[in-house]
Amino acid sequence: MYPLEPERLEMERIAGQVVRRAIDFVEGLPERPASQPQPGRDLLARMLAAPAEHPGDLDELLEALDEAAGFGLETAGGGYFGYIPAGGVFSSAVAEVYTRAVNRFGGMAAFAPALIALEQGVIRWLATVCGLPTGSGGLLVSGGSAANLSAMVAARHAGLGEELAGGRLYVTPHAHHSLTEAARIAGLPAASVRVVPATAALRMDVDAAAAMIEADRAAGHRPFLVVGSAGTTDTGTVDPLPELADLAAREGLWCHVDGAYGGLFTLTDRGRRRLAGIERADSVTLDPHKSLFLPYGTGALLVRDPARLAAAHQGGAYYLQDLAPDPDVPDFADLGPELSREVRGLRVWLPLQLHGVGAFRAALDEKLDLAQTVYQELAADPALEVLGEPELTVVGFRLREGDDAANRRLLERINGTRRVFLSSTSVGGRVVLRLCVLSHRSHAEHVAEAVRVIREAAAD
Ligand SMILES: *Cc1c(COP(=O)(O)O)cnc(C)c1O
């Protein structure tokens, strides 16, 4: 009897107890508050403790887990409207149990050709949803930040080669901060990130971008990349993607579209219209852990030309010399910085196959409708000023009368009810509260509750 290799009955006992706990948790979500007070020092100390030398009791361990999971923001619940909600489709979690148990090496196709084909199928499907042409590729990564980083590295390599001096890339003030981080990690100094002004509608001013590019060229710099957002994190605003693609084509720049929040709304008719132009990008970031409602840890980078992604990331080593590449299934290790990785496709594939694409499409459509409802309800409240009709599912608002401090207090009052959770940002130098509808668990009743809480707090 090897303790690290439990027998079947013991495996069933462990798995059964863990899964039962997890299901209890999910079932209990409707009764859970949207946020919890801070945990006590003693709980933190217990969680920080080193593992014991001797076997522990599964029940006690799971009890501790439940206690720990009870604190913080209820990011899995329907009342979570802060930042960009995720949700956590249960079938995806279960797919992970299988993935981890079979433990196939996901870095190179030769280790698990058919499972890698399954993952490549997910990539191809995501690319098709965005309208990218056949032959596009990419890979699943941990999230949007990792996808933006690899896109940055690919664009840098394609545009600048080995010599980074003078490189210039163009973002808006509302671009996600992971892009600036990516530039720094990719060896580009802060001066290489040019912030193009946004229009009054918070979109990239493409004429201003063109003027900056021209001025930069005249000054001897080397523009190589323009980044648009398919839904900014702040306000869900979509940059003028067709004009950006035109600009990139005219200037010979790499066009990256950050669709971590909004890119997958292309599954819906309305989303496809609003995100028109995304199909012309050289690379697209998506976050299935946002707009496919999957558990955290799944982002995607799609590229029109996988060879350009490989050129920036591919390595090579004698100890890998036995592995022949397959023309149909890629070696994901060649497309990103990781060698060892799990097969990531199952956690996307199982939910899509099991529930059908239509279930995801319908859920995204529901979120678009719910955001409209929030917009109309809040716009009808004389105490509130609403930023504008949501393009996707973010509604920004603030008190009509009141400074930034008053708006911060409003947010505290709203979140203090622990019935919903919202977050804030800054737009045009002013504090704006924002409500983002994206969890698959947020339905009409949650949105109605949010509106009620907001209006009550604003009337205070
Ligand atoms: C969330 C987000 C990111 C970062 O994605 P992570 O999955 O959190 O790493 C990047 N861009 C946009 C627009 C986002 O909303």
Side-chain angles (χ1 to χ4, degrees):
M1 170 71 172
Y2 299 99
L4 299 186
E5 194 65 283
E7 283 164 9
R8 182 175 187 104
L9 274 178
E10 178 61 0
M11 282 196 278
E12 285 178 355
R13 185 184 76 88
I14 298 172
Q17 285 199 41
V18 172
V19 170
R20 215 164 22 249
R21 288 266 182 175
I23 294 173
D24 285 347
F25 183 91
V26 171
E27 239 189 6
L29 280 169
E31 275 74 53
R32 296 173 73 88
S35 60
Q36 296 274 6
Q38 291 301 307
R41 290 256 133 230
D42 57 321
L43 175 59
L44 293 186
R46 266 190 287 137
M47 291 298 142
L48 287 163
E53 186 65 25
H54 301 293
D57 177 76
L58 182 60
D59 246 342
E60 278 173 28
L61 296 170
L62 292 176
E63 200 60 52
L65 277 190
D66 271 350
E67 192 184 352
F71 290 94
L73 305 181
E74 194 40 85
T75 44
Y80 182 57
F81 299 106
Y83 309 101
I84 308 283
V89 164
F90 185 71
S91 55
S92 180
V94 180
E96 277 306 271
V97 175
Y98 185 89
T99 301
R100 302 304 177 144
V102 304
N103 195 30
R104 286 292 177 268
F105 182 84
M108 303 185 89
F111 284 85
L115 282 181
I116 298 296
L118 174 157
E119 183 162 332
Q120 176 70 354
V122 167
I123 289 287
R124 284 190 183 164
W125 176 76
L126 290 170
T128 308
V129 168
C130 289
L132 290 168
T134 313
S136 302
L139 79 171
L140 293 176
V141 293
S142 60
S145 306
N148 281 340
L149 175 58
S150 271
M152 178 71 63
V153 170
R156 186 205 69 193
H157 191 74
L160 302 178
E162 302 284 318
E163 178 53 62
L164 308 190
R168 290 290 182 270
L169 65 112
Y170 303 83
V171 297
T172 76
H174 302 285
H176 194 265
H177 74 278
S178 61
L179 289 154
T180 322
E181 260 176 54
R184 192 173 65 237
I185 298 169
L188 298 157
S192 56
V193 180
R194 304 282 270 130
V195 181
V196 180
T199 63
L202 307 177
R203 289 180 233 287
M204 182 183 279
D205 181 337
V206 181
D207 291 338
M212 284 170 90
I213 291 167
E214 193 184 324
D216 282 344
R217 283 206 207 281
H221 301 313
R222 301 156 70 210
F224 71 97
L225 165 67
V226 61
V227 181
S229 298
T232 61
T233 315
D234 281 333
T235 56
T237 306
V238 180
D239 279 321
L241 303 179
E243 288 79 6
L244 274 185
D246 287 343
L247 175 71
R250 215 162 50 235
E251 296 287 344
L253 310 186
W254 183 291
C255 179
H256 176 65
V257 173
D258 182 358
Y261 155 57
L264 279 160
F265 278 99
T266 43
L267 272 170
T268 68
D269 288 340
R270 279 175 285 180
R272 210 161 28 251
R273 283 198 298 276
R274 278 165 213 174
L275 300 173
I278 194 171
E279 73 286 350
R280 293 176 58 196
D282 290 297
S283 52
V284 176
T285 286
L286 298 177
D287 248 346
H289 69 208
K290 289 175 178 168
S291 27
L292 276 186
F293 323 112
L294 301 189
Y296 290 118
T298 305
L301 174 63
L302 306 174
V303 286
R304 173 175 300 275
D305 180 1
R308 296 216 283 175
L309 189 58
H313 288 93
Q314 201 160 25
Y318 290 128
Y319 44 78
L320 298 175
Q321 66 191 7
D322 315 334
L323 302 164
D326 186 298
D328 280 330
V329 274
D331 291 333
F332 290 123
D334 286 347
L335 301 178
E338 299 167 293
L339 174 59
S340 295
R341 69 198 283 282
E342 74 279 31
V343 175
R344 296 202 170 116
L346 267 74
R347 58 196 192 225
V348 191
W349 177 88
L350 186 67
L352 286 171
Q353 300 279 344
L354 189 64
H355 310 302
V357 174
F360 289 88
R361 205 188 304 282
L364 286 168
D365 257 323
E366 180 197 17
K367 305 314 149 197
L368 290 168
D369 290 339
L370 292 175
Q372 276 297 325
T373 305
V374 173
Y375 166 70
Q376 279 156 13
E377 297 275 336
L378 295 187
D381 190 316
L384 297 172
E385 172 192 344
V386 182
L387 241 49
E389 205 172 327
E391 278 180 81
L392 297 171
T393 63
V394 181
V395 182
F397 62 94
R398 50 181 285 127
L399 288 168
R400 201 171 280 284
E401 312 280 342
D403 55 7
D404 284 353
N407 279 288
R408 282 197 202 94
R409 285 196 301 275
L410 173 63
L411 181 63
E412 277 170 24
R413 279 202 299 281
I414 293 168
N415 289 343
T417 65
R418 303 196 187 283
R419 281 144 69 190
V420 294
F421 184 86
L422 273 59
S423 59
S424 76
T425 187
S426 179
V427 175
R430 300 197 310 166
V431 169
V432 166
L433 277 60
R434 52 190 287 300
L435 185 157
C436 179
V437 195
L438 200 60
S439 171
H440 67 298
R441 298 200 174 105
S442 296
H443 304 294
E445 65 269 25
H446 301 96
V447 155
E449 170 89 332
V451 167
R452 207 159 40 236
V453 167
I454 293 167
R455 297 186 66 163
E456 275 170 25
D460 244 10

